Amino acid sequence: MAATDQTLTRERPKATISLSQTARTSLQVLQAIIIFSILAWVSYRGAQAMEYNWQWYRVPRFFYRIIDGEIIWGPLVLGFIETLRLAGVSIIFAVLIGFVTAFARLSNSFAGKWIATIYLEAIRNTPLLVQLFLFYFVLAPIFGMDRFWAGVLCLSFFEGSFASEIIRGGIIGVSRDQYEASDAIGLTPYDKYTKIIIPQSLPLILPPLTGLIISLIKHSAIVSVIAVSELTTAGMNLISETFMAFEIWFIVAGIYLALTVTLSAGVSLFERQLEKGKH
Amino acid sequence: MNDKITSALKVPETKADDKPIVEVAGLCKWFGDFCALFDINFSVNSGEKVVVCGPSGSGKSTLIRCLNQLEEHQLGTIRIDGREVKPGMKGIEEIRRDVGMVFQSFNLFPHLSVLDNLTIGPIRNRGMSKSEAAEMAMELLDRVHISEQASKYPMQLSGGQQQRVAIARALCMRPKIMLFDEPTSALDPEMISGVLDVMVELAEDGMTMLCVTHEMGFARQVGDRVIFMDDAEIVETADPESFFNNPETERAKIFLSQLLSH
């Protein structure tokens, strides 16, 4: 309510801290504390009831050991690096396959559309595990690939099919006006796409593509079934040696979580950079 | 400023009846079964300014969009500066580079700065160096009275400013003819005069122009000819004074009375 004795000016009134606002915020903080306390207590009681012998003190040596002043990296770190390598190479191939397939589907070429559609339907309608076995037991011997590349190609073709739909959607999302403007100044098709259309479709492509990359990192765990020495394989090996299933699975899950959360935070930052100064 | 850029800014000085830049004969165009253009015949000579007007849906925009093949025609011939333009032809880019086009909704590239909007054509199509292109672009931005906005992005400009940038972008390709597709229709009333001023200056510099517009003041001031279209056909061609004062055909009379009635 505006006080009647004050004259209205064009200057924006200064914000005042309202007491009710502060009270509401503290209430919400209190709520969160109570909920988390209850959750922590339930987990603690659950673990006690199972009479599981927690051995967290043994965990650091799975990461590294120092022998004669020299750091020896443990299986979890080596597995993590292998997961990074596996996922990193697969992401690059998946995005490449995605772009090629998207443009094949958007093209006027009959063969291009046909092959792209068959590829998409075949990959999206069969289980990833079956595809992995096909790559490892059928294609790998034929083409002389090792297990790492069989895993990489399987993940790339699987996620590439989803990437292609994301990329196609982004390209279709750029307005017709932009195609016409590019044509009107006589840009070649290559320049039209690389300079005008794709840069504008990036804001549409990036958020769902981040989700795809995160799911690729998670799906990379499946190559443990063909014994690629990545993080999940390292975890399974450790458990069969130490029987510390709970600690190790929690840590493995924690490492995947840290990786994917860092990635999505990085991409949001990049998106904000893209948007900066344009509006 | 070096000689190359000076020549880029200069519009070729030719007499109005020199040689045809645009020749259209028997042009027909259908959208599905709908006939959008029927038996269109006209030509625009170098240095001529031609205004196309007519009721909405009469095929004006389709006509000028066929000239640079943003729309493909089915019958008839189009020649731009002597070269025939065919649907699906190879090397259409070469012809489009000689034909500047200004759209109703500006169609600037929103992810590029104003300067980059202008220089991308010359750099990619004409192999100009970055600095050369930037120097030419600044000259052109100066010509459309907007050089102080060079580093901004299109979304930060008003509609009128955006349209002037779009005109400068088209000029950057040193076109032999400029096509305008209702350049002021999407603008707020107070923005229109700035754009029209630029177009008048361009006309005074001798640019060959084909404008779809309902701005009668502009048509009278710079137009050499008015082409009146209705229902996919050219109904009447006349000089602006006689067209606006004494239209010959009944359809033109009806159209002009509607244009003036409010």
Side-chain angles (χ1 to χ4, degrees):
Chain A
M1 280 292 214
T4 43
D5 56 339
Q6 271 178 342
T7 47
L8 206 54
T9 67
R10 292 185 73 112
E11 207 173 303
R12 184 179 174 148
K14 294 219 164 41
T16 51
I17 301 162
S18 91
L19 212 86
S20 65
Q21 183 68 44
T22 324
R24 227 177 301 153
T25 315
S26 353
L27 196 71
Q28 278 173 348
V29 170
L30 192 70
Q31 237 174 22
I33 290 173
I34 292 170
I35 291 171
F36 282 117
S37 309
I38 293 172
L39 281 177
W41 184 76
V42 168
S43 329
Y44 174 73
R45 286 306 300 259
Q48 280 211 321
M50 272 192 321
E51 292 179 13
Y52 182 79
N53 180 22
W54 294 95
Q55 303 177 69
W56 287 104
Y57 66 93
R58 289 176 65 187
V59 162
R61 79 172 76 154
F62 303 152
F63 286 97
Y64 66 92
R65 277 183 296 173
I66 296 175
I67 299 170
D68 296 338
E70 213 180 324
I71 297 183
I72 309 287
W73 294 113
L76 286 181
V77 170
L78 296 178
F80 175 67
I81 290 168
E82 192 68 359
T83 288
L84 279 186
R85 205 162 73 94
L86 183 77
V89 178
S90 303
I91 287 162
I92 292 167
F93 278 108
V95 171
L96 279 180
I97 291 170
F99 267 103
V100 171
T101 314
F103 277 102
R105 284 198 79 185
L106 290 169
S107 75
N108 295 321
S109 148
F110 184 71
K113 271 187 199 174
W114 210 61
I115 292 169
T117 309
I118 290 177
Y119 155 67
L120 288 183
E121 293 304 320
I123 292 282
R124 286 192 298 183
N125 294 306
T126 53
L128 177 56
L129 189 58
V130 174
Q131 290 168 26
L132 183 66
F133 287 148
L134 270 175
F135 270 94
Y136 184 56
F137 291 113
V138 180
L139 296 178
I142 296 174
F143 295 105
M145 292 183 285
D146 63 10
R147 55 187 79 223
F148 177 80
W149 284 100
V152 162
L153 287 186
C154 175
L155 286 173
S156 309
F157 274 99
F158 181 75
E159 303 294 348
S161 71
F162 295 95
S164 89
E165 288 300 89
I166 291 170
I167 291 163
R168 195 171 72 104
I171 287 167
I172 291 173
V174 176
S175 104
R176 240 179 82 93
D177 294 350
Q178 294 293 311
Y179 289 85
E180 289 182 350
S182 320
D183 285 341
I185 59 169
L187 290 182
T188 59
Y190 175 80
D191 284 340
K192 174 166 72 176
Y193 280 103
T194 55
K195 304 285 174 197
I196 306 298
I197 305 300
I198 293 175
Q200 287 187 63
S201 63
L202 278 188
L204 303 172
I205 289 174
L206 269 184
L209 199 64
T210 314
L212 183 98
I213 289 169
I214 284 168
S215 83
L216 188 149
I217 290 171
K218 293 181 295 173
H219 282 151
S220 75
I222 206 174
V223 301
S224 61
V225 303
I226 58 169
V228 175
S229 57
E230 45 69 76
L231 184 57
T232 306
T233 312
M236 288 199 296
N237 292 343
L238 275 176
I239 290 165
S240 60
E241 288 165 19
T242 62
F243 302 105
M244 290 165 56
F246 277 49
E247 293 90 335
I248 288 165
W249 282 134
F250 273 126
I251 286 168
V252 168
I255 293 173
Y256 280 114
L257 188 70
L259 182 57
T260 51
V261 168
T262 312
L263 188 78
S264 48
V267 173
S268 331
L269 211 71
F270 178 62
E271 274 166 37
R272 239 170 291 157
Q273 289 291 322
L274 272 184
E275 284 303 303
K276 228 179 216 175
K278 284 191 193 169
H279 300 291
Chain B
M1 201 170 67
N2 64 39
D3 291 343
K4 201 169 176 187
I5 293 165
T6 318
S7 67
L9 293 172
K10 215 186 284 168
V11 174
E13 281 174 36
T14 44
K15 280 178 246 101
D17 54 2
D18 191 7
K19 56 169 183 166
I21 296 285
V22 174
E23 297 161 272
V24 174
L27 178 68
C28 298
K29 155 94 190 154
W30 287 267
F31 289 109
D33 289 334
F34 173 75
C35 183
L37 294 174
F38 183 71
D39 195 20
I40 303 288
N41 298 282
F42 76 101
S43 65
V44 180
N45 287 334
S46 180
E48 234 187 340
K49 294 103 183 82
V50 177
V51 171
V52 183
C53 65
S56 76
S58 57
K60 316 175 295 282
S61 290
T62 309
L63 172 60
I64 69 166
R65 287 161 61 86
C66 278
L67 300 183
N68 63 354
Q69 287 294 294
L70 291 184
E71 300 288 355
E72 296 183 347
H73 59 284
Q74 280 93 26
L75 288 178
T77 55
I78 299 172
R79 280 173 197 283
I80 302 288
D81 201 23
R83 287 172 297 178
E84 188 170 350
V85 178
K86 288 180 192 150
M89 70 186 287
K90 273 216 170 88
I92 183 69
E93 291 92 356
E94 285 298 322
I95 293 173
R96 282 170 173 163
R97 287 166 197 171
D98 288 342
V99 180
M101 185 152 193
V102 176
F103 299 89
Q104 184 177 350
S105 49
F106 332 134
N107 297 12
L108 294 175
F109 304 128
H111 63 302
L112 299 178
S113 70
V114 165
L115 189 67
D116 290 341
N117 262 277
L118 266 68
T119 56
I120 186 166
I123 290 173
R124 302 302 301 181
N125 297 337
R126 305 276 198 218
M128 267 190 162
S129 76
K130 244 186 166 173
S131 57
E132 226 178 340
E135 202 173 330
M136 181 176 82
M138 287 308 295
E139 284 295 325
L140 285 170
L141 284 175
D142 209 34
R143 192 160 147 190
V144 299
H145 318 299
I146 205 163
S147 52
E148 69 283 359
Q149 314 279 7
S151 59
K152 286 195 180 165
Y153 282 89
M155 295 301 173
Q156 295 169 318
L157 304 183
S158 72
Q161 292 172 322
Q162 288 191 51
Q163 192 60 297
R164 284 184 275 152
V165 172
I167 292 172
R169 177 177 69 180
L171 290 173
C172 242
M173 292 306 296
R174 295 177 237 164
K176 297 197 168 97
I177 181 171
M178 286 284 284
L179 308 177
F180 292 86
D181 188 1
E182 304 204 30
T184 55
S185 305
L187 296 176
D188 290 331
E190 74 268 28
M191 303 288 175
I192 291 176
S193 68
V195 171
L196 288 179
D197 287 347
V198 166
M199 289 169 65
V200 170
E201 288 164 24
L202 198 58
E204 284 165 356
D205 286 347
M207 175 59 80
T208 314
M209 292 162 77
L210 183 58
C211 309
V212 173
T213 183
H214 293 148
E215 299 292 340
M216 290 199 293
F218 172 80
R220 280 172 196 261
Q221 194 180 344
V222 306
D224 294 315
R225 254 188 307 153
V226 172
I227 292 177
F228 173 69
M229 287 183 72
D230 190 16
D231 193 19
E233 289 179 78
I234 293 180
V235 176
E236 189 172 337
T237 304
D239 66 275
E241 278 312 310
S242 48
F243 176 75
F244 288 117
N245 295 336
N246 314 296
E248 280 175 21
T249 58
E250 200 54 39
R251 284 195 271 183
K253 278 175 194 161
I254 295 168
F255 171 72
L256 286 173
S257 69
Q258 282 167 343
L259 207 62
L260 293 169
S261 66
H262 52 79

